[in-house]
Amino acid sequence: MSANYDDLFELVGPALESKIHEFRLYNYNSVTEEDIWHYCINKKWRKRDIQEMGVSEMVNDILGTSPAHYMTHTQIEGFKSSNWFSELKQEDLQELLNPTKKVLKTQPVIKSRQNLKDI
């Protein structure tokens, strides 16, 4: 089969729609058909030429995608691509990596026996 990604996406659309309904049952409401499609392309089929795959094989892989595997993959990709410190100023980052010890001095509280009886 020789088709482009858009044609293949349309061809397996009913399977993607069915999978999205399953995700909704598990309250993963933000996942779209395109998200599942990209997951399959980038994770399940990354070492394959999907234009040479059969439609039944694609549908099987889509329907076999578990919400847990999808979410794990999404989290790992988020960790790989995120720059966690992008919003920090250089001074804040230095303080985070090399914190200075700030010791708070407190005065000892001495209570008389009379005060303790009142408690």
Side-chain angles (χ1 to χ4, degrees):
M1 168 177 25
S2 179
N4 65 28
Y5 287 107
D6 293 333
D7 292 339
L8 293 173
F9 179 80
E10 293 298 322
L11 199 57
V12 296
L16 291 167
E17 185 178 338
S18 175
K19 184 50 69 173
I20 290 302
H21 287 296
E22 179 184 341
F23 274 62
R24 300 283 186 271
L25 290 173
Y26 292 106
N27 288 325
Y28 294 118
N29 298 323
S30 63
V31 180
T32 65
E33 294 172 357
E34 290 82 9
D35 294 333
I36 300 295
W37 178 247
H38 290 293
Y39 166 76
C40 289
I41 290 172
N42 296 324
K43 176 69 175 168
K44 290 193 169 215
W45 306 326
R46 71 177 179 265
K47 295 181 181 180
R48 305 198 51 198
D49 181 10
I50 70 165
Q51 294 179 343
E52 299 299 322
M53 292 175 62
V55 175
S56 62
E57 189 176 2
M58 285 185 211
V59 168
N60 186 50
D61 287 345
I62 291 167
L63 295 178
T65 299
S66 75
H69 286 134
Y70 171 79
M71 294 308 291
T72 300
H73 171 76
T74 302
Q75 288 175 334
I76 290 171
E77 290 302 310
F79 289 143
K80 286 180 184 177
S81 64
S82 292
N83 183 358
W84 293 3
F85 305 110
S86 64
E87 296 178 9
L88 290 178
K89 296 178 190 170
Q90 187 65 27
E91 299 86 33
D92 295 335
L93 186 57
Q94 284 301 325
E95 180 64 27
L96 181 65
L97 297 176
N98 299 315
T100 58
K101 293 184 179 180
K102 295 180 181 177
V103 179
L104 295 176
K105 293 185 177 182
T106 59
Q107 296 293 328
V109 177
I110 301 173
K111 295 188 178 187
S112 67
R113 287 188 157 192
Q114 183 62 31
N115 290 344
L116 292 175
K117 287 180 184 177
D118 293 338
I119 297 179

